Amino acid sequence: QVQLVESGGGVVQPGRSLRLSCETSGFTFSNHGMHWVRQAPGKGLEWVAVIWYDGSKKHYADSVKGRFTISRDDSKNTLYLQMNSLRAEDTAVYYCARDISYYSDDSWGQGTLVTVSS
Amino acid sequence: QSALTQPPSASGSPGQSVTISCTGTSSDVGGYNYVSWYQQHPGKAPKLVIYDVTKRPSGVPDRFFGSKSGNTASLTVSGLQAEDEADYYCTSYAGSNNLGVFGGGTKLTVL
């Protein structure tokens, strides 16, 4: 069955970096666009970054542009999110998700909590 | 991109129907047939219940119905059940050079 497992979250000081990973299994990873979505405590969902199935396009939320980088390694069936210059407002649960049709994510990981605090 | 507009709350009694709206612009909801709806229970990951405006993923009951008119999409949940109580988010494609946009979410209460 389709599985997505995030890792790499934790507590980090403002200005530092963190890399999230999303290991996938149970489907042909290279056939799917992949997304990072976050949810700050008590808030709604926010698209953070998306990467097309072939890696040809990447899009970022304005709030993370220039600081976060999404990438994928199809040989490892893994999605990444490199997060630099972290801010308190980046504190959230980060989910990775599999796209089946233009922001239609049918499979999600369990989420990983990133807390940015001094 | 601005967020899509959803009512903050909706409610209905068991067995009734409730409709949640999602209003965008001609650059997102009105411009493409790529509106999705997610259900999220507290502490859980979102679950896709409608995609491409009207399609239901496998396993989603046909009590969930999606539609669109102009710049407004709607999710109708009929035959309300206790387990339908959750937060619902709409989202829309906004073109190949833009990130998608979410609505602010609607808390559905089953009375």
Side-chain angles (χ1 to χ4, degrees), chain A residues 37 39 43-50 52 57 59-62 95 100-106 108-110, chain B residues 1 34 36 38 40 44-48 51-52 89 91-104:
Chain A
V37 178
Q39 188 168 36
K43 302 297 184 182
L45 301 174
E46 178 187 18
W47 298 108
V48 175
V50 305
W52 285 35
K57 290 198 175 190
H59 297 303
Y60 299 91
D62 287 344
Y95 296 99
I100 59 169
S101 175
Y102 298 102
Y103 296 93
S104 304
D105 291 359
D106 71 333
W108 294 65
Q110 81 285 358
Chain B
Q1 291 291 330
Y34 296 123
S36 301
Y38 294 91
Q40 187 181 34
K44 301 293 188 182
K47 173 187 175 183
L48 183 67
Y51 70 103
D52 293 355
Y89 296 90
T91 188
S92 175
Y93 179 67
S96 62
N97 293 321
N98 296 307
L99 194 67
V101 286
F102 269 116

